[in-house]
Amino acid sequence: MLYDLNIAWSPNTSAADLERTLRFSASLGYDVVALNHTIGAPVPPIVTNPLPIYDPPSATATVISSSSSTSPSTVQPKLPTILRRATLVLSESAQNHRLPQLVSAYDILAVRPVTDDSFQSACLKLDEISIISLDLTVRQPFTLRPKPCMAAVARGVRFEVCYSQVLQGPAPAHILGSKGSKDGGGGGGSGGHTGGAGTIVDARARATFIGNVSSLIRATRGRGIIISSEAKSVLGLRAPADVLNLLNVWGLSSDRATEGIGPLPRGVVVNEGLKRSGFRGVVNIVGHADREKADVEMAEAGDGSAQVALGKPQDKKGKKNKNQDMNNNGAKKRKTGDGTNNPAPTHVNENTTPAGEGEEPPMRKRQAKKLKAALRNKQADGSVANA
């Protein structure tokens, strides 16, 4: 299965354009996609998920017949599996207490650090996130060093590379505003200067993007990198084979790039699902018991255990009395002169049953030793008398 965990969404995105982008991604071969909602600071105290909800994909594609009878009917590709994701622009550590609310509202949570402190916190401390997404078209205020990056990869956090950042998008508004408008409102000379500035900015953004991707690959050794599109329309999407070739040109090996659109994003989706539907990633929560019913069952179980606890000393006492009776019966036996043991004529326990005719009671080891000693003494006395 192929994954694209970043399809850009904004409140200005129309439903028709969004559905067209989703269907086009399915036609390219992507099975699971995620709609991404970027949230800036400050995070509202009550978090709501504005992303649209789509039904699960059906087994068959939708057939749309044309209006004319001569043209053949066209088959519209089905929608992929759609997840809902939030990307928080992280600038201060004070925003971290809002992360559990975002986790409960979205399927996947990612952060985009913009300062050195927030980047270090995302790599080493934050447990709620699963993706670190960077805007690679601008110079980062921090250095991508191997130690924090490899620590994040070891914790299961993945770094995201969005290839559509370099394939589309106009120049930044603050740069275009300082040079003039794109339409050339300041005259012919300023219009030409503005067009040149836009071209320079695009080329500079592409060079910065490639440099940042190379630094990220060098810091992580190509591990833990997932590849997404961050496409705002169908123009920002590329086929999986084109994405692999593009990342291979930028320095990522083919094996690592294949993992970036398959196994690694799948692991992110599975782990995020376990966080929300399981207990510590081990026990899957399938339902909750009723409070009153559980209390009644616990009370009944407590009464039964109390009765058993009360009955145990009585059982032990009964066994002790039985053993004492057996010892008393053995102690009442007396030894006769011929070396045999006969029971003394005393009272016998009523619960005991007499032995049958011809049967002898079992002899104890102590009694057997005494009998052997008496026989040896008798034989010794006989040998002395014969001498």
Side-chain angles (χ1 to χ4, degrees):
M1 297 179 67
L2 300 180
Y3 292 76
D4 185 1
L5 299 183
N6 194 341
I7 299 291
W9 178 89
S10 65
N12 298 328
T13 305
S14 63
D17 294 340
L18 182 60
E19 184 176 356
R20 188 182 304 112
T21 303
L22 295 175
R23 293 189 184 277
F24 185 68
S25 65
S27 65
L28 291 178
Y30 296 101
D31 302 297
V32 180
V33 300
L35 297 179
N36 181 28
H37 180 209
T38 303
I39 303 174
V43 181
I46 300 176
V47 178
T48 58
N49 192 341
L51 294 173
I53 301 176
Y54 290 89
D55 296 332
S58 58
T60 57
T62 305
V63 179
I64 301 177
S65 58
S66 60
S67 58
S68 61
S69 59
T70 57
S71 61
S73 60
T74 60
V75 178
Q76 190 175 8
K78 63 180 181 180
L79 291 173
T81 302
I82 301 172
L83 304 176
R84 301 192 294 175
R85 161 185 164 178
T87 300
L88 176 62
V89 180
L90 193 62
S91 59
E92 297 178 358
S93 59
Q95 303 173 253
N96 298 346
H97 68 282
R98 299 290 186 188
L99 293 179
Q101 299 180 11
L102 294 173
V103 169
S104 60
Y106 293 87
D107 298 327
I108 301 174
L109 179 60
V111 294
R112 177 162 289 181
V114 295
T115 60
D116 190 10
D117 294 339
S118 61
F119 180 74
Q120 295 290 334
S121 178
C123 291
L124 304 176
K125 298 179 181 179
L126 298 182
D127 297 329
E128 295 85 359
I129 66 172
S130 58
I131 299 175
I132 297 177
S133 179
L134 302 174
D135 186 4
L136 301 176
T137 58
V138 298
R139 285 182 62 88
Q140 303 297 330
F142 47 83
T143 304
L144 298 174
R145 294 187 296 271
K147 187 174 181 179
C149 293
M150 293 303 296
V153 173
R155 291 176 54 239
V157 180
R158 307 306 178 192
F159 290 92
E160 184 181 45
V161 174
C162 302
Y163 58 84
S164 69
Q165 293 177 353
V166 74
L167 298 179
Q168 66 175 358
H174 64 279
I175 295 180
L176 290 181
S178 62
K179 299 294 183 181
S181 64
K182 268 187 158 183
D183 298 334
S190 62
H193 182 72
T194 302
T199 305
I200 292 173
V201 167
D202 290 341
R204 187 181 303 167
R206 291 189 179 94
T208 305
F209 180 89
I210 296 173
N212 288 331
V213 170
S214 301
S215 300
L216 181 61
I217 294 172
R218 190 182 307 110
T220 60
R221 300 177 184 176
R223 303 173 185 174
I225 296 177
I226 63 174
I227 304 170
S228 304
S229 64
E230 201 178 4
K232 301 177 181 177
S233 64
V234 294
L235 299 178
L237 293 173
R238 295 294 183 272
D242 297 337
V243 174
L244 298 181
N245 292 334
L246 198 59
L247 268 295
N248 195 4
V249 171
W250 292 338
L252 189 63
S253 62
S254 299
D255 297 338
R256 301 294 186 185
T258 304
E259 293 178 357
I261 60 176
L264 291 182
R266 179 185 179 276
V268 170
V269 174
V270 172
N271 291 336
E272 290 296 310
L274 289 177
K275 288 181 182 179
R276 289 156 178 79
S277 63
F279 176 71
R280 294 184 179 179
V282 177
V283 181
N284 189 17
I285 301 174
V286 296
H288 299 276
D290 295 336
R291 183 69 179 176
E292 298 179 355
K293 186 177 179 181
D295 293 341
V296 172
E297 292 179 354
M298 291 178 65
E300 293 177 355
D303 295 341
S305 61
Q307 293 177 1
V308 172
L310 291 175
K312 285 183 179 180
Q314 297 178 359
D315 294 340
K316 290 183 179 180
K317 186 176 181 181
K319 292 181 181 179
K320 186 176 181 181
N321 295 335
K322 186 176 180 181
N323 293 333
Q324 289 179 355
D325 294 340
M326 293 177 64
N327 294 334
N328 293 333
N329 293 335
K332 291 178 183 178
K333 297 180 180 179
R334 296 292 182 268
K335 181 179 178 181
T336 59
D338 57 354
T340 60
N341 294 330
N342 294 325
T346 57
H347 297 284
V348 183
N349 191 2
E350 297 177 356
N351 296 331
T352 59
T353 56
E357 296 181 358
E359 295 182 359
E360 295 181 358
M363 185 180 298
R364 298 186 179 182
K365 292 182 179 181
R366 187 175 181 181
Q367 296 175 357
K369 290 180 180 180
K370 291 181 178 181
L371 181 59
K372 290 180 181 179
L375 291 175
R376 283 196 298 267
N377 294 333
K378 189 175 180 180
Q379 292 177 359
D381 295 340
S383 60
V384 170
N386 293 332

